[in-house]
Amino acid sequence: MKAAIITIGDELLIGQTIDTNSAWMGAELSKSGFEVCRITSVHDRRDDIIYALNEASGKNRCCFDHRRPWSDKR
């Protein structure tokens, strides 16, 4: 089954935070039988998140996003 991982956060895009979560999630999904086809990072903006989810969901059976609850900027 194909899967996509979407990381959300400006801190990832500007290099302030190194994205170790995607590596971990990719490894865990692979162990569970998923074929991880894409990892995408997007800004904390609603439109960017929706675009990434729509794009990934059209090509993959499962989409996963991960972010810290306290970094939710609406």
Side-chain angles (χ1 to χ4, degrees), residues 12-51:
L12 297 170
L13 297 171
I14 63 171
Q16 181 180 348
T17 301
I18 296 172
D19 179 17
T20 56
N21 290 343
S22 290
W24 172 82
M25 188 177 282
E28 293 300 310
L29 289 170
S30 293
K31 283 193 262 182
S32 297
F34 289 90
E35 176 188 357
V36 178
C37 297
R38 176 185 296 193
I39 298 173
T40 304
S41 296
V42 298
H43 284 284
D44 283 320
R45 292 185 291 243
R46 185 177 190 270
D47 290 344
D48 292 336
I49 296 166
I50 291 170
Y51 180 84

Side-chain angles (χ1 to χ4, degrees), residues 5-9 12 19-23 25 39 64-68:
I5 298 170
I6 300 170
T7 63
I8 301 167
L12 297 170
D19 179 17
T20 56
N21 290 343
S22 290
M25 188 177 282
I39 298 173
F64 299 88
D65 77 77
H66 59 82
R67 61 182 158 187
R68 295 180 184 98

